[in-house]
Amino acid sequence: MSGELTTSELESFPALDWSDIAPRLSSPVRSAIEKVLETQNGADLSLEDSYALADSEGDDLLGLLVASNIVRAELVGNIVTYVVNRNINFTNICFVGCKFCAFSRGPRESDAYFLTLDQMAQKTVGAWQMGATEVCIQGGLPRDLPKFHYRDILRAVKNAVPGMHIHAFSPMEIVYGVELTGMALADYLSMLRDNGLGTLPGTAAEILDDGIRHILSANKLSTAQWVEVIRTAHRCGIRTTSTLMYGHAETSAHWVRQMRLLRDIQSETGGFTEFVPLGFVHWNTLLFQQGLARTGPTLAEHLKVHALARLLLAGSIPNIQVSWVKLNRHLSQLCLHAGANDYGGTLMEENISREAGATAGQYTSPEDFQSLILEMGRIPAERNTTYSRINLKLPPKNGEDCVTEHSFEAEFR
Ligand code: SF4
């Protein structure tokens, strides 16, 4: 089979064995995949191998998907994790003007909002009462933000719930905080850490190529700035996630270069907890309306990016997350068959993808995650933000509710 696969051909990959598909692969793709199957390490892939995988089509693509599932099982087993968390997007007022963003508003728009510190504290208390272990705090960048506002958010949240893990502030917000305070980057990050910042989302990465970044958002931080914030955070003991937004104006070569860059950073610092591919949601964005982007990722692209990440990041970043808000239930399960092992957060109040036209909803309950994971024949487990503790959630027995069986220090970091 060569060229474009039909939906049903693509969706058939979880039923294939490596021995079924291997004889049908082209020799460059088969040899690249066999290197990773043998060593479990994406460092063994050359740039040419990586491009061959990223451009795979037909049987080659099916082979990549099947191999990614094998490598996932060998590296992190059959557990699929999720974190119980709440999103707090504290303001939608933003001057940056990213063309892929349908969330931001001007300060005078009728639906512009800015949460007070008290309101954020209340949301944190409510989340804690519902079992959340993490709040994920990001917002727009309003002009004239009080100089130490990001620090003050941390204080308000920690005062309200000292035990809550705070996963907050994109590298773009960090650059803005540095600009507002005039502090050195390492000093600024250390101050946030000392006031309760647990981990940093590796968002605002989109595609780490300045040509593409200029199309997406001329005012956003540069690739070099993103890398500097991340490296400095890791050096300050603040771990981060890593992300890539696909399905807009980029090419497959950008995916490869970004994954290899993330590998390089990880080998220096070990600070990434996970990699999160983010499919572009195009409906309500200027980027799409101005004809600067394609109509979001195809099914083949969704699956390929997750599988490619599993192979290229093997031996480097152990956890590959599906962003369920941007995928539907079925597609997020397919991506978990294509190398991914984490469902992300319950979120409780997702706004950013919904405003761009995503329809997956604002909240997935832990019980929903558990049944989606069990449906796939995998083992659900609730994790903390850094994957250092996980609680297995086993299926109900004798009519009893789903119970936590035990918790242990996760093997993966
Ligand atoms: S993505 Fe973030 S920085 Fe860009 S316009 Fe939207 S809210 Fe502002």
Side-chain angles (χ1 to χ4, degrees):
M1 224 184 282
S2 63
E4 221 169 286
L5 296 164
T6 63
T7 300
S8 63
E9 284 166 344
L10 259 173
E11 292 187 349
S12 70
F13 81 89
L16 292 174
D17 285 330
W18 176 244
S19 56
D20 298 329
I21 193 71
R24 295 171 13 205
L25 304 189
S26 68
S27 73
V29 166
R30 181 169 177 169
S31 114
I33 290 175
E34 284 179 342
K35 284 182 193 172
V36 189
L37 288 177
E38 200 178 315
T39 64
Q40 308 292 312
N41 198 330
D44 295 316
L45 293 168
S46 66
L47 190 58
E48 290 65 37
D49 289 333
S50 306
Y51 285 148
L53 294 176
D55 290 333
S56 58
E57 289 184 336
D59 283 338
D60 283 346
L61 174 55
L62 291 177
L64 170 66
L65 302 178
V66 171
S68 69
N69 203 28
I70 297 171
V71 173
R72 182 272 308 156
E74 290 184 5
L75 287 176
V76 294
N78 284 328
I79 291 171
V80 177
T81 46
Y82 59 87
V83 61
V84 181
N85 69 352
R86 172 173 200 139
N87 249 17
I88 305 179
N89 303 126
F90 61 95
T91 180
N92 60 355
I93 301 170
C94 188
F95 64 79
V96 179
C98 303
K99 289 188 172 175
F100 59 86
C101 176
F103 168 74
S104 73
R105 299 287 187 276
R108 277 184 284 280
E109 287 188 64
S110 58
D111 54 353
Y113 71 87
F114 191 100
L115 299 182
T116 64
L117 296 178
D118 276 351
Q119 287 170 319
M120 295 181 71
Q122 281 162 25
K123 281 181 184 283
T124 306
V125 170
W128 185 255
Q129 287 164 347
M130 285 178 70
T133 59
E134 169 196 297
V135 281
C136 175
I137 304 175
Q138 298 180 90
L141 277 68
R143 289 192 196 284
D144 302 323
L145 193 68
K147 262 168 103 168
F148 286 96
H149 194 68
Y150 296 133
R151 180 202 63 189
D152 294 344
I153 288 176
L154 297 169
R155 287 182 176 174
V157 167
K158 276 286 176 191
N159 275 338
V161 184
M164 186 67 92
H165 180 101
I166 307 181
H167 180 62
F169 311 136
S170 73
M172 183 74 210
E173 289 171 299
I174 297 298
V175 165
Y176 188 38
V178 164
E179 194 184 302
L180 288 168
T181 58
M183 293 172 73
L185 175 61
D187 293 342
Y188 186 72
L189 284 163
S190 301
M191 175 190 70
L192 296 184
R193 179 199 61 208
D194 295 344
N195 280 276
L197 179 67
T199 47
L200 207 72
T203 45
E206 285 91 51
I207 288 292
L208 292 169
D209 172 288
D210 287 336
I212 298 291
R213 296 181 79 71
H214 194 76
I215 299 170
L216 302 184
S217 177
N219 301 323
K220 203 113 184 217
L221 80 174
S222 65
T223 301
Q225 284 176 303
W226 189 90
V227 171
E228 193 195 358
V229 170
I230 294 293
R231 278 202 176 111
T232 310
H234 292 178
R235 277 202 298 272
C236 293
I238 303 165
R239 300 189 71 184
T240 73
T241 63
S242 56
T243 63
L244 174 152
M245 186 173 78
Y246 62 96
H248 44 90
E250 88 294 3
T251 66
S252 59
H254 292 108
W255 306 337
V256 167
R257 291 199 286 267
Q258 186 144 331
M259 290 176 197
R260 289 168 67 95
L261 170 63
L262 297 175
R263 262 200 92 97
D264 289 346
I265 298 172
Q266 183 74 333
S267 63
E268 264 176 59
T269 68
F272 288 128
T273 52
E274 71 219 42
F275 174 69
V276 194
L278 300 167
F280 170 54
V281 182
H282 67 287
W283 298 104
N284 304 328
T285 67
L286 219 52
L287 194 68
F288 172 64
Q289 284 154 10
Q290 291 181 345
L292 298 169
R294 53 193 191 276
T295 53
T298 61
L299 172 63
E301 285 176 322
H302 281 299
L303 296 173
K304 192 191 282 183
V305 168
H306 289 79
L308 188 68
R310 174 53 73 195
L311 295 204
L312 264 63
L313 299 176
S316 173
I317 302 178
N319 302 303
I320 310 291
Q321 182 180 114
V322 295
S323 176
W324 63 265
V325 290
K326 299 181 190 294
L327 309 167
N328 58 37
R329 287 169 79 93
H330 179 55
L331 186 48
S332 61
Q333 285 178 316
L334 280 175
C335 290
L336 285 160
H337 282 300
N341 67 309
D342 182 73
Y343 241 123
T346 53
L347 296 180
M348 294 187 194
E349 195 180 349
E350 200 290 320
N351 293 307
I352 292 172
S353 299
R354 183 178 53 88
E355 297 258 7
T359 54
Q362 289 186 285
Y363 174 56
T364 297
S365 71
E367 293 72 25
D368 281 344
F369 276 141
Q370 288 157 20
S371 61
L372 285 165
I373 294 163
L374 289 167
E375 218 173 89
M376 299 172 60
R378 307 261 283 274
I379 305 160
E382 183 186 330
R383 64 169 170 88
N384 64 354
T385 307
T386 56
Y387 297 75
S388 63
R389 186 171 49 75
I390 66 174
N391 293 338
L392 300 187
K393 299 285 182 180
L394 297 180
K397 274 187 198 149
N398 308 324
E400 288 167 23
D401 282 345
C402 210
V403 291
T404 298
E405 183 68 8
H406 55 240
S407 67
F408 58 92
E409 286 294 310
E411 282 173 34
F412 16 87
R413 288 179 180 279

